Amino acid sequence: MKSRKSFVDGIMFAVLLLFVVYALLPFFMTWSTAFKSKSELITNTLGFPKKWETGNIAGAWKQGKFGNYYLNSIVVAVPVVVVSILFSIMGAYALSVFRLPFRNGILGLFIVGMTLPMEVVMIQVYYLLLKIGLLNQLPGLIMVQIGMSMPFGIYFLHASFRDVPRPLVEAAEIDGAGTWKILWRVLVPTMAPSLTVLALLFFIWTWNEFLLALVIISSDSLRTLPVGMAFFQGKYIANAPLTAMGATMMTLPVIMVYLALHRYFISGMTAGAVKG
């Protein structure tokens, strides 16, 4: 019996190891290419760099204008994450606690909003921003990304609010706490893992957003990293090490943020699975 269990465990471990290799191989190929010269890439395509070309960092940063693109991406990502979480908290709290008319119908509309592909609303968004004077402006891009993020945020936090123990809220009400104090002093601190998961997801989605930024922003000085990287790759397509370094620079902040928050991310996802 033990031998059979060990055999099954070995098969599962091999399958998981295969998936890990499959997931990490593109990163290894990109990062190793980023520190090679064009001549070494021809003779040493799959191996580690024999001579680390650190000059590719300065070359990609200067020629690709990554400093400006980084700043634009940060200017967009930070308010999108902060405002989307604030609005998601308030919306989910209202739908979970208050006895609103058509509450389930409103929640259903948010679910529909999650399922709509970006291509369906892109033309309407373009002309709306043009009409209000926010086309080719970072505030316009921020506003649209907040609107696209909120349906998922409200739906995600709705279950967390519903699963908060009712005696906790009743005890706060007995102590004289009002609605806002119950929300921010009692409920929100208990949802820290879920909020961390949501913040990380919002940051990744906003940082990697390409289609919205491509359509809304036309000025090179206002482009975010994904769009700037696409133009940089098209310009230096013959220089694979330089474009690989650009891709490495673009993905590095997402990886660093995930590594910093991965413990909270895993605990938040686990808590959600247990509650569900």
Side-chain angles (χ1 to χ4, degrees):
M1 200 70 179
K2 286 185 178 181
S3 60
R4 182 178 179 181
K5 186 177 184 301
S6 300
F7 176 76
V8 173
D9 291 342
I11 294 296
M12 293 178 62
F13 178 78
V15 172
L16 290 175
L17 183 62
L18 182 63
F19 275 106
V20 170
V21 172
Y22 178 78
L24 294 181
L25 185 60
F27 290 97
F28 168 77
M29 293 292 295
T30 303
W31 294 340
S32 63
T33 301
F35 289 97
K36 293 177 183 177
S37 63
K38 293 174 66 175
S39 58
E40 184 182 352
L41 183 62
I42 298 174
T43 59
N44 180 27
T45 305
L46 301 178
F48 283 100
K50 296 178 181 178
K51 181 182 178 181
W52 293 78
E53 291 289 338
T54 55
N56 289 340
I57 301 175
W61 185 269
K62 183 178 180 180
Q63 298 178 43
K65 304 177 183 178
F66 278 91
N68 185 44
Y69 297 151
Y70 258 97
L71 179 61
N72 292 335
S73 291
I74 293 172
V75 168
V76 172
V78 172
V80 168
V81 172
V82 173
V83 177
S84 297
I85 287 181
L86 288 176
F87 285 175
S88 297
I89 289 174
M90 292 186 286
Y93 179 66
L95 290 175
S96 303
V97 177
F98 300 152
R99 295 183 178 180
L100 301 175
F102 308 109
R103 181 171 60 179
N104 293 332
I106 296 173
L107 184 62
L109 289 177
F110 284 116
I111 297 175
V112 172
M114 291 167 44
T115 60
L116 285 177
M118 182 62 62
E119 293 79 4
V120 174
V121 298
M122 184 58 66
I123 296 176
Q124 291 83 353
V125 167
Y126 179 89
Y127 283 106
L128 174 63
L129 293 179
L130 179 63
K131 185 175 182 180
I132 63 178
L134 289 179
L135 189 64
N136 194 31
Q137 300 288 334
L138 290 182
L141 179 60
I142 292 170
M143 182 178 68
V144 174
Q145 292 201 253
I146 290 173
M148 298 300 294
S149 300
M150 280 181 54
F152 176 82
I154 292 175
Y155 180 76
F156 183 83
L157 295 179
H158 177 261
S160 298
F161 277 115
R162 293 291 297 270
D163 290 329
V164 171
R166 186 61 189 173
L168 185 65
V169 178
E170 293 174 350
E173 291 175 345
I174 292 174
D175 290 339
T179 301
W180 285 100
K181 191 172 184 179
I182 292 175
L183 173 61
W184 297 110
R185 298 287 184 86
V186 179
L187 298 181
V188 169
T190 65
M191 299 167 56
S194 298
L195 293 176
T196 303
V197 172
L198 193 61
L200 183 57
L201 291 176
F202 282 163
F203 176 78
I204 294 174
W205 294 341
T206 306
W207 191 267
N208 294 331
E209 178 57 46
F210 176 80
L211 183 59
L212 270 177
L214 178 64
V215 173
I216 295 175
I217 303 298
S218 57
S219 300
D220 180 65
S221 60
L222 297 176
R223 286 173 182 157
T224 55
L225 264 174
V227 180
M229 179 62 202
F231 281 89
F232 175 72
Q233 184 180 10
K235 187 176 181 180
Y236 296 94
I237 191 171
N239 194 336
L242 207 61
T243 56
M245 179 58 71
T248 301
M249 290 179 176
M250 188 182 77
T251 57
L252 189 60
V254 174
I255 296 174
M256 293 176 63
V257 170
Y258 176 77
L259 291 178
L261 300 177
H262 75 281
R263 292 185 179 180
Y264 305 101
F265 181 82
I266 294 173
S267 64
M269 295 297 291
T270 305
V274 172
K275 289 178 181 179

